[in-house]
Amino acid sequence: MANASAKRIGVLGYLLFIRHILQAEASQNEIAIRNLFYGQVGANVLALVLRLFFSKTSKTAIVFYVLSLGAGQFLYRQLVKMGTPRRDATGTLVSSGDDLNQPGMTEWFFDVLYVSWFAQVGSSVLGEWFWWIYAAIPGFVVFKLWGSFISPMLLGRSSSAAEAEDAAPESNLSKRQEKLKKRNERGDPRVKTQTRR
């Protein structure tokens, strides 16, 4: 009887812990979405105001601005759709949404969105050449692909992998065995060398 009660209390405690974790994740997502909204509105308003007062606007600047605005708005909407917590009619949390702090595509969405904001504001102050900052995105993708996929495919195994494999047989010794081996190499009389028959 006591074991059944303890198990129910354990399961109930576990469920309460999971609920607490989901609520914390939901509140983190709500804060991140609110910050994204402020960043999206702030960067675009600031870029427009600076462009009106500090630089002349050409057709190419308008085209680049509209393209970056479209890309930024698309990524902003995707992040909001992924991270928005869902609640039922009573306000109870149903789903905390996807974790917006996870690595991978979500992280890249944030990076491209930040580069878009930076390019919008920077080009309105420094000129149209600042749109070249977008070249950092495909450059970063090529860099990541080169290190993890292309280089090993073209060049075979990397030099660090070769060094790790060469060092592996000696690292199989325990610390005590390494210490005894060093003593034996120095000719320490405390180490007795045994010959196997």
Side-chain angles (χ1 to χ4, degrees):
M1 256 326 169
N3 278 341
S5 176
K7 286 180 184 177
R8 268 187 262 129
I9 290 173
V11 169
L12 181 62
Y14 178 73
L15 291 176
L16 288 174
F17 176 72
I18 294 296
R19 181 177 172 199
H20 174 71
I21 295 293
L22 290 176
Q23 287 176 347
E25 186 175 309
S27 67
Q28 285 179 349
N29 283 352
E30 288 171 342
I31 291 169
I33 289 170
R34 185 175 56 237
N35 290 340
L36 277 175
F37 173 75
Y38 292 148
Q40 182 77 351
V41 170
N44 286 295
V45 168
L46 183 63
L48 287 175
V49 168
L50 290 173
R51 189 166 296 280
L52 286 175
F53 290 118
F54 292 113
S55 68
K56 57 183 180 180
T57 304
S58 66
K59 289 180 183 179
T60 56
I62 292 171
V63 168
F64 281 132
Y65 179 76
V66 168
L67 288 175
S68 70
L69 179 64
Q73 194 63 24
F74 172 76
L75 294 174
Y76 168 74
R77 289 285 178 201
Q78 291 298 317
L79 289 169
V80 167
K81 188 167 58 170
M82 287 172 24
T84 302
R86 289 182 301 221
R87 301 183 186 277
D88 63 4
T90 62
T92 306
L93 184 67
V94 175
S95 170
S96 64
D98 293 342
D99 183 14
L100 292 180
N101 291 326
Q102 66 185 344
M105 290 302 292
T106 306
E107 186 177 36
W108 287 22
F109 282 4
F110 277 106
D111 292 344
V112 173
L113 192 59
Y114 295 152
V115 169
S116 294
W117 295 345
F118 187 62
Q120 289 170 353
V121 174
S123 68
S124 63
V125 174
L126 300 174
E128 292 181 27
W129 64 269
F130 204 77
W131 289 109
W132 281 100
I133 196 75
Y134 266 111
I137 296 169
F140 180 73
V141 170
V142 168
F143 170 74
K144 289 298 251 185
L145 286 175
W146 179 263
S148 62
F149 183 71
I150 298 171
S151 173
M153 294 289 284
L154 292 177
L155 305 175
R157 65 183 187 161
S158 65
S159 61
S160 61
E163 292 172 4
E165 287 181 10
D166 292 341
E170 292 200 19
S171 64
N172 289 338
L173 299 175
S174 68
K175 288 183 181 180
R176 184 174 187 276
Q177 289 172 335
E178 288 177 10
K179 188 193 251 184
L180 289 173
K181 183 179 175 185
K182 287 179 185 177
R183 282 184 185 169
N184 188 23
E185 289 172 356
R186 286 184 301 194
D188 194 334
R190 294 180 290 178
V191 180
K192 295 181 182 177
T193 308
Q194 296 179 356
T195 57
R196 295 188 179 213
R197 294 178 200 188

